[in-house]
């Protein structure tokens, strides 16, 4: 909740004020192109030069503050970056005479005779601020502070660009996502049979947030309207659903191999029945590097947005190039979040987690996954195993990056927010290498089976290819 006093009148935000101004101008026949703009103060000194990078940094901090699941976070990232991209495209169309890639919704060749000071920054930044304000009203105080830091003025101050372009960019994005089923609060009811996911609140793995079926995280996110796909099920992978029933799945030799693989690679500590852990020190470091499971971190989508920034900075992209790259990456990850929830909850098999398979399958009642909370309590995510969200997000990200840059073999270094990671950065020689390690890390943490990772990687890359070939295409 915002800390603004309930007794204080809520200020009119720029995009709402702009809509009112535009309506008056239209009703009176005033020509916006001829309307003089008030003098704009120079921007304060900037430590982050590019507005796309700045506002994505703001989003990552909001994610740390808000917590929650990766699906809603990736939706927010897509809304933010697609709106900034259309706003930047509008600026390019107005003052550079053309755009080199198609807009997501619409680029506005807005009114105005002369380009105002820092106009590109203002068009992009004011759009970003208003989109984030609509998504996270409880972060109003923080967002206002970041606006002042960037512009040196109050976010409620008037700017003619709000009337000519910003309000249109904000409104068209909000209209596009209204009724997208992201607010579905339907309660999940599990299948309640061996092999089916169930709450994992074991006495020695106490997790009060996962003791009932109804506490499953985002069970119907797979029904959210995608940003590029035709539906969340468009690229649904076949396994392990190809077995058709839990009984056939559990009786298969492949299932037994899957369980044994994670049992030896993902255990927290050796036990009487699992005396050997088949995991190297570097794999364990990688497992924690990619985790970012707890609130207070930028979560998996945020880590990949940060990696996008590292690569974009290294490749010296300009603002228009950054806007398109971040929009493509965010669109792919948003649809990945939807598609992987479709697989987890809306297919015939809602697969239980490895800890349930190992303990309730009678293999080792003392087995625990490596994944722990900051307090040192072993834990496993509160939703089905198949397919892996980390793998799907990672492959969707890598798929866009290698297509955007025309090569997979680009070396880069990225960071982590996970407080338990023994290292804060890791270096890779390709995008696919990073995605593969991201996928495998969930096996090493003991929370996924190998086929969760494999199917997630395939699903993510198919989504990336669809996004890249159908949205924001080069003109």
């Amino acid at each position: 909740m915002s800390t603004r006093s309930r007794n204080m009148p809520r200020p009119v935000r720029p995009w709402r004020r702009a809509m009112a101004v535009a309506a008056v101008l239209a009703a009176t026949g005033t020509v916006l192109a001829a309307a003089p703009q008030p003098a704009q103060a120079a921007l304060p000194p900037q430590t982050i030069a590019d507005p796309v990078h700045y506002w994505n940094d703001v989003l990552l901090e909001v994610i740390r503050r808000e917590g929650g699941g990766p699906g809603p976070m990736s939706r927010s990232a897509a809304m933010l970056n697609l709106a900034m991209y259309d706003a930047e495209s509008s600026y390019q169309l107005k003052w550079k005479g053309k755009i080199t890639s198609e807009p997501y919704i619409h680029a506005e060749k807005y009114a105005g005779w002369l380009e105002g000071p820092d106009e590109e920054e203002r068009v992009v930044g004011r759009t970003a601020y208003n989109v984030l304000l609509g998504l996270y009203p409880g972060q109003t105080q923080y967002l206002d502070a970041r606006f002042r830091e960037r512009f040196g003025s109050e976010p409620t101050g008037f700017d003619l660009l709000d009337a000519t372009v910003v309000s249109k960019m904000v409104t068209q994005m909000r209209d596009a996502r209204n009724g997208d089923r992201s607010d579905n609060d339907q309660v999940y009811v599990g299948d309640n049979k061996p092999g089916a996911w169930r709450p994992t609140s074991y006495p020695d793995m106490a997790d009060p947030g996962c003791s009932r079926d109804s506490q499953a995280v985002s069970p119907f996110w797979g029904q959210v309207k995608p940003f590029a796909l035709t539906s969340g099920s468009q690229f649904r992978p076949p396994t392990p659903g190809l077995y058709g029933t839990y009984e056939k799945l559990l009786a298969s030799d492949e299932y037994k191999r899957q369980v044994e693989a994670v049992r030896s690679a993902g255990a927290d500590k050796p036990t009487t029945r699992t005396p050997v852990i088949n995991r190297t020190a570097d794999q364990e470091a990688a497992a924690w590097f990619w985790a970012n499971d707890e609130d207070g971190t930028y979560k998996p989508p945020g880590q990949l947005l940060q990696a996008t920034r590292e690569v974009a900075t290294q490749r010296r992209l300009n603002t228009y190039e950054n806007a398109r790259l971040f929009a493509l990456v965010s669109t792919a990850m948003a649809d990945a979040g939807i598609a992987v929830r479709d697989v987890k909850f809306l297919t015939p098999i809602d697969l239980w987690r490895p800890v349930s398979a190992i303990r309730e399958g009678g293999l080792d009642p003392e087995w625990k996954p490596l994944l722990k909370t900051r307090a040192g309590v072993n834990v496993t995510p509160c939703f089905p195993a198949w397919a892996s969200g980390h793998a799907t997000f990672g492959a969707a990200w890598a798929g866009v990056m290698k297509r955007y840059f025309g090569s997979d073999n680009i070396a880069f270094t990225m960071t982590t927010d996970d407080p338990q990671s023994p290292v804060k950065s890791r270096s890779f020689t390709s995008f696919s290498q990073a995605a593969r390690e991201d996928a495998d890390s969930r096996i090493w943490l003991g929370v996924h089976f190998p086929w969760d990772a494999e199917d997630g990687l395939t699903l993510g890359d198919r989504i990336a290819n669809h996004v890249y070939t159908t949205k924001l295409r080069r003109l």
Side-chain angles (χ1 to χ4, degrees):
M1 295 294 291
S2 170
T3 56
R4 196 183 299 276
S5 170
R6 294 175 181 266
N7 298 321
M8 292 176 63
R10 187 172 180 81
V12 179
R13 293 293 161 185
W15 76 280
R16 294 186 183 278
R17 186 192 300 272
M19 291 178 71
V21 171
V24 171
L25 293 171
T28 59
T30 304
V31 180
L32 280 172
Q37 292 200 43
Q40 296 291 332
L43 290 179
Q46 303 294 326
T47 56
I48 300 174
D50 195 285
V52 175
H53 291 177
Y54 181 86
W55 290 101
N56 272 280
D57 278 4
V58 172
L59 172 65
L60 297 194
E61 181 57 30
V62 169
I63 288 173
R64 294 183 185 102
R65 291 164 176 249
E66 288 279 316
M73 293 171 184
S74 59
R75 173 182 180 268
S76 296
M79 290 180 67
L80 169 68
N81 282 298
L82 286 168
M84 284 200 292
Y85 169 74
D86 278 358
E88 171 65 18
S89 297
S90 298
Y91 169 82
Q92 293 288 328
L93 189 63
K94 174 62 183 177
W95 296 114
K96 307 304 177 184
K98 65 176 182 178
I99 52 177
T100 57
S101 53
E102 62 187 15
Y104 178 67
I105 300 175
H106 171 69
E108 181 77 16
K109 191 172 184 179
Y110 54 92
W113 289 112
L114 298 172
E115 182 178 352
D118 301 310
E119 186 159 322
E120 182 178 26
E121 175 78 41
R122 288 155 54 210
V123 169
V124 173
R126 296 179 82 89
T127 297
Y129 165 81
N130 280 291
V131 169
L132 289 173
L133 189 69
L135 288 168
Y136 299 104
Q139 297 295 327
T140 297
Q141 189 174 48
Y142 171 72
L143 293 171
D144 285 1
R146 295 304 299 268
F147 184 97
R148 294 187 200 100
E149 175 187 291
R150 191 67 176 176
F151 290 104
S153 60
E154 290 298 319
T156 51
F158 178 73
D159 188 319
L160 187 59
L161 289 172
D162 292 334
T164 57
V165 61
V166 170
S167 68
K168 297 175 185 178
M169 299 298 102
V170 175
T171 300
Q172 70 181 15
M173 178 51 65
R174 290 181 179 174
D175 288 348
R177 300 311 300 178
N178 281 340
D180 67 357
R181 300 184 292 277
S182 60
D183 58 353
N184 186 344
D185 58 0
Q186 187 176 349
V187 175
Y188 175 75
V189 178
D191 291 332
N192 193 28
K193 58 176 63 178
W197 180 82
R198 71 278 319 281
T200 48
S201 184
Y202 297 104
D204 59 343
M205 288 179 55
D207 182 8
C210 194
S211 59
R212 302 187 304 274
D213 284 0
S214 60
Q215 292 175 313
V217 178
S218 305
F220 296 98
W221 196 259
Q223 296 176 345
V224 171
K225 182 179 77 172
F227 287 79
L229 302 184
T230 57
S231 71
S233 62
Q234 184 174 350
F235 296 120
R236 183 186 287 177
T239 55
L242 61 83
Y243 292 99
T245 67
Y246 292 104
E247 292 78 11
K248 291 180 179 178
L249 172 69
L250 267 59
S252 70
D253 290 337
E254 182 56 35
Y255 169 77
K256 295 179 177 64
R257 284 192 289 268
Q258 296 283 322
V259 174
E260 282 305 312
V262 68
R263 178 184 175 187
S264 62
D268 180 17
K269 298 176 181 178
T271 68
T272 302
R273 295 194 189 181
T274 309
V276 177
I277 297 178
N278 184 23
R279 181 181 64 233
T280 68
D282 185 64
Q283 287 171 339
E284 186 164 327
W288 285 114
F289 177 83
W290 288 102
N292 298 300
D293 284 281
E294 291 199 77
D295 289 345
T297 69
Y298 48 29
K299 298 297 182 76
Q303 185 174 30
L304 294 167
L305 286 173
Q306 179 62 34
T308 306
R309 178 182 168 184
E310 298 295 338
V311 176
T313 301
Q314 173 185 310
R315 308 295 289 187
R316 298 181 179 179
L317 301 190
N318 62 35
T319 298
Y320 188 25
E321 293 166 336
N322 274 321
R324 181 170 179 264
L325 174 60
F326 275 80
L328 286 167
V329 163
S330 297
T331 299
M333 289 201 295
D335 280 3
I338 295 168
V340 79
R341 274 307 196 272
D342 166 82
V343 176
K344 287 180 181 294
F345 286 102
L346 303 178
T347 55
I349 302 293
D350 295 357
L351 187 62
W352 59 9
R353 289 281 175 173
V355 65
S356 300
I358 294 167
R359 287 190 169 199
E360 298 181 37
L363 298 175
D364 187 346
E366 299 178 356
W367 191 92
K368 298 178 186 178
L370 175 63
L371 184 64
K372 304 181 190 70
T373 66
R374 288 185 180 122
V377 179
N378 299 85
V379 68
T380 199
C382 197
F383 42 85
W386 179 67
S388 165
H390 275 67
T392 308
F393 281 122
W397 172 81
V400 167
M401 295 294 281
K402 67 185 180 183
R403 288 170 174 87
Y404 182 95
F405 290 107
S407 174
D408 187 25
N409 299 316
I410 293 177
F412 65 97
T413 298
M414 58 184 292
T415 61
T416 184
D417 250 6
D418 196 287
Q420 300 182 78
S421 176
V423 296
K424 293 306 176 186
S425 66
R426 285 179 74 86
S427 297
F428 303 93
T429 58
S430 71
F431 302 124
S432 294
Q433 182 193 23
R436 163 56 67 180
E437 186 177 272
D438 190 2
D440 289 344
S441 74
R442 306 306 283 176
I443 303 168
W444 302 327
L445 279 175
V447 296
H448 275 292
F449 304 99
W451 58 21
D452 302 340
E454 293 300 332
D455 284 354
L457 288 170
T458 300
L459 176 61
D461 190 66
R462 295 185 71 183
I463 291 168
N465 182 66
H466 181 83
V467 168
Y468 195 82
T469 57
T470 64
K471 299 297 177 183
L472 283 54
R473 293 173 294 189
R474 292 289 190 187
L475 298 175

